[in-house]
Amino acid sequence: VLLLAVLADALALAAQANAVPALKAEDLPSNVIQFVKTDSATDVNALAHITGSPEIVFAVVTSHAHHADKAKSVLDTWCSDIYACAFFSDEHNPSNEPTTSELKLTDHGFKPEDNVDSQVGNQLRHIVALKKARDMVMDPTHADKLGKMKWLVLCTDDTYIFYHNLAQTLSSFNSTDLVYTGNVISGTEDEEGNGIVNIGGGAAFSKAALLEMSNLGSCISAARPGGKWWGLMPDSIVGECAYEAG
C-alpha cells in the first residue's frame, strides 16, 4: 500500500521558516521563461519554468481567471528561484507569466455530454494534472528536466510552499519507496493515522508512488458524472486514487 505520513507541522503553510526571497519574472534568467505561441496542451508549456534537473517538481493547478493574480503571485514568490514549477490550467496564458499548460478535461477522459461546469471542472483538473505530470515524468524526451526528479508535489495557486522546510522534510524519506504525504485532513484518518492529504497544502508523491499510479485513467473515469467519485473534492479523488494504486 502507499505509505502516508502525517506531516502537519512540517508541511503546514504556517511553517516557521524564512520565505524564499521573491524575484520578479523579468529578473529570471532568459532561459526560464519560454514564450510559446500555442493554445494546445503542450509539454513545452508545462516545462517552461523548469530549469536544470530539480529533485522536487511542483504541479501547480490554476485557472484562467487567476492567471494574472494568484498564479503570477506563485511565480513571483516561492517559485521564483527554485525553477521547478509547472503550471496547469484550463487555458493557455497569453502573457506567459506564468506560462501554463492547457488541460482540457475532454482530452483526458471526460465526455462533452458530461456538461461539467467551469467551477467543477477547475476542481477535477487536479487529478488530470497529476496524470499529465506522471506521463511527462515517464517520457524519456523530458529526461533533461525531469530525469532526476524524486518528488512531485501537487498543489494549487493558493498554496504557499516554504521550499527549504519541505526539502528537508522529504529528505527523511526514500523516494524509491511508495510515499504519498502531506497535511492529512482531519477526520479522514484510518486506525493507523493515514488519510486524505490536503492538496491546498501540497500533496507530495515520491517518484516511485507516482509511477505506481498507472490507475490514473480509471480514476478520472470514476470522477465523471455517475462515477463512484463524482461529487468528491479533488483531495479525496486524488487520495482514493493513491490508495487504489497500492
Side-chain angles (χ1 to χ4, degrees):
V1 299
L2 293 182
L3 170 67
L4 287 85
V6 183
L7 300 177
D9 293 333
L11 297 182
L13 297 184
Q16 295 180 358
N18 292 326
V20 175
L23 296 178
K24 298 298 183 182
E26 58 266 25
D27 297 327
L28 299 177
S30 60
N31 62 338
V32 174
I33 305 294
Q34 300 180 15
F35 294 93
V36 182
K37 297 181 179 180
T38 178
D39 288 329
S40 62
T42 59
D43 291 356
V44 68
N45 281 357
L47 296 170
H49 299 288
I50 298 179
T51 298
S53 301
E55 293 188 353
I56 306 174
V57 172
F58 299 86
V60 184
V61 180
T62 185
S63 66
H64 73 277
H66 294 295
H67 287 170
D69 47 34
K70 293 183 178 182
K72 192 173 187 305
S73 177
V74 170
L75 177 67
D76 288 345
T77 56
W78 63 267
C79 275
S80 65
D81 67 352
I82 61 174
Y83 312 132
C85 292
F87 292 84
F88 297 95
S89 182
D90 56 333
E91 293 182 8
H92 171 64
N93 182 10
S95 77
N96 291 290
E97 292 189 16
T99 300
T100 58
S101 178
E102 179 184 10
L103 293 183
K104 291 185 177 297
L105 298 183
T106 51
D107 292 338
H108 297 275
F110 287 84
K111 307 297 182 183
E113 58 267 27
D114 289 340
N115 293 319
V116 175
D117 66 37
S118 60
Q119 184 175 2
V120 174
N122 290 338
Q123 297 295 317
L124 294 172
R125 196 162 285 104
H126 293 80
I127 189 70
V128 174
L130 185 61
K131 182 179 185 300
K132 179 62 176 176
R134 179 181 183 273
D135 291 344
M136 292 172 60
V137 170
M138 294 183 67
D139 188 338
T141 64
H142 302 316
D144 58 330
K145 291 190 174 185
L146 301 178
K148 295 182 180 180
M149 190 205 81
K150 295 181 177 180
W151 299 93
L152 188 283
V153 180
L154 180 67
C155 58
T156 78
D157 55 13
D158 284 320
T159 304
Y160 195 96
I161 298 289
F162 290 92
Y163 178 79
H164 298 295
N165 273 16
L166 176 65
Q168 183 176 9
T169 299
L170 292 179
S171 69
S172 65
F173 296 95
N174 190 334
S175 63
T176 62
D177 292 334
L178 300 178
V179 181
Y180 154 61
T181 188
N183 295 321
V184 172
I185 298 173
S186 178
T188 68
E189 305 93 334
D190 61 18
E191 61 278 3
E192 297 179 354
N194 300 323
I196 302 299
V197 172
N198 178 8
I199 297 174
F205 297 82
S206 64
K207 184 174 183 178
L210 184 65
L211 298 184
E212 185 76 7
M213 295 180 72
S214 59
N215 61 328
L216 277 162
S218 62
C219 293
I220 290 173
S221 296
R224 290 182 56 210
K228 62 181 179 180
W229 295 338
W230 170 248
L232 293 184
M233 294 299 289
D235 320 85
S236 296
I237 295 172
V238 169
E240 294 291 350
C241 189
Y243 273 118
E244 286 201 352

